Amino acid sequence: MRTIVAGNWKMHTDAGGAMALLGELADWSAANPTAVELVVAPPFPFLAAAVQRAAQPDAMGRKPAILIAAQNCHEQEQGAFTGEVSVPMLRSLGVGACIVGHSERRQYFGETDEAVGRKVAMLLKHGLQPIYCCGEQRQEREAGTHRETVARQMHAALGALTPMELARVVVAYEPVWAIGTGLTATPDQAQEMHAFIRGELRKLAGEGAESIPILYGGSCKPDNAEGLFALNDINGGLIGGAALQAASFIELVRIAGTVKYPR
Ligand code: PGA
């Protein structure tokens, strides 16, 4: 099973800060090969430079292994959609993955499950890896309807995909009440939902579900990551705040490596 640690920079950094952060990560990655896959999602304006920096070998000729992802894309291939970014544009830059359906997109930009599903299909069509986010709101957790919410999100957005297509999707479970709040799902809560999501994926992808990575997201930090990454159905993390400093992001990658691939 793959293990992925993905950093979602959201609307943070500027040109200089983004390149400095990516430079630190790239140099670390070049010097510290790991079985953990590193994914970094900078804001749109920095993607082209990020792809180039991530491909640049260090002074000893060692290559970093960082996949650059976008944080969003449009569901159409092209057209009169002022201010939007298409999947073919991303692909032409060498961007390899894209976060879709993040709760902030759903909440502040009105993205529906169906629209997110069309984005997933467009990404797959052009060979980019979708990182599909799902997760319940605090009220849904309190009302005990969190499973229904996540099942609905999964089936509405991924239900039309073939098992072969699903094999190229990464799922991120991000309980909305844990994002940026400092509240983390307990390991029990997280494992329970990841196992539930794995069960839903089985309905869609059959046996293929066993190798679809399911990342945890929501205030995941070096001091709580070990307990989360150790769990069976947690295959890494989608990291917001702690991805904005090279040291904490690298620490998360290190923890994931130690926990998932003990020597
Ligand atoms: P957080 O964000 O780690 O800052 O909670 C996670 C995310 O929204 O992807």
Side-chain angles (χ1 to χ4, degrees), residues 1 9 18 53 60 72 97 106 110 115 121 138 142 150 159 171 184 186 200 205 209 211 224 249:
M1 169 57 94
W9 292 3
R53 183 62 187 85
M60 295 173 69
N72 181 34
R106 296 177 188 262
R138 186 171 54 84
E142 285 168 1
V150 170
V171 175
T184 322
T186 63
E200 295 307 301
S211 48
N224 59 28
F249 189 70

Side-chain angles (χ1 to χ4, degrees), residues 36-201:
V36 177
E37 297 176 38
L38 278 74
V39 178
V40 173
F44 280 136
F46 314 135
L47 284 174
V51 168
Q52 289 184 5
R53 183 62 187 85
Q56 201 176 302
D58 70 3
M60 295 173 69
R62 299 170 298 193
K63 271 202 137 189
I66 300 180
L67 187 70
I68 300 298
Q71 299 173 16
N72 181 34
C73 62
H74 196 266
E75 64 187 68
Q76 304 270 334
E77 227 136 29
Q78 60 173 330
F81 301 106
T82 301
E84 290 294 315
V85 174
S86 74
V87 175
M89 289 175 195
L90 297 172
R91 192 187 52 176
S92 70
L93 291 178
V95 171
C98 183
I99 299 168
V100 273
H102 191 281
S103 65
E104 287 151 16
R105 302 280 332 156
R106 296 177 188 262
Q107 195 174 340
Y108 307 131
F109 302 94
E111 284 190 17
T112 61
D113 293 330
E114 291 69 27
V116 175
R118 290 191 290 272
K119 293 182 182 197
V120 170
M122 186 58 71
L123 287 162
L124 291 172
K125 178 177 176 190
H126 290 283
L128 274 79
Q129 181 170 290
I131 302 174
Y132 172 71
C133 303
C134 58
E136 80 283 1
Q137 310 267 352
R138 186 171 54 84
Q139 301 88 308
E140 292 165 325
R141 163 73 53 175
E142 285 168 1
T145 56
H146 45 291
R147 286 183 212 83
E148 283 93 318
T149 298
V150 170
R152 187 205 72 228
Q153 291 170 336
M154 303 273 307
H155 289 271
L158 307 179
L161 302 179
T162 64
M164 284 239 306
E165 289 170 326
L166 274 165
R168 291 154 51 210
V169 172
V170 173
V171 175
Y173 169 62
E174 300 203 305
V176 178
W177 47 272
I179 295 179
T181 57
L183 291 173
T184 322
T186 63
D188 282 353
Q189 285 172 325
Q191 169 56 29
E192 196 245 312
M193 285 308 285
H194 280 241
F196 174 77
I197 290 167
R198 182 87 59 209
E200 295 307 301
L201 287 171

Side-chain angles (χ1 to χ4, degrees), residues 8 10 102 104 174 178-181 217-221 238-242:
N8 173 11
K10 307 193 181 184
H102 191 281
E104 287 151 16
E174 300 203 305
I179 295 179
T181 57
S219 299
C220 184
K221 298 186 170 55
L238 179 55
I239 317 299

Side-chain angles (χ1 to χ4, degrees), residues 211-255:
S211 48
I212 299 176
I214 308 175
L215 314 184
Y216 170 79
S219 299
C220 184
K221 298 186 170 55
D223 60 10
N224 59 28
E226 193 172 336
L228 293 162
F229 292 170
L231 299 166
N232 245 351
D233 286 301
I234 298 190
N235 311 112
L238 179 55
I239 317 299
L244 291 171
Q245 255 97 47
S248 48
F249 189 70
I250 287 167
E251 183 59 12
L252 287 166
V253 174
R254 211 192 50 72
I255 293 169

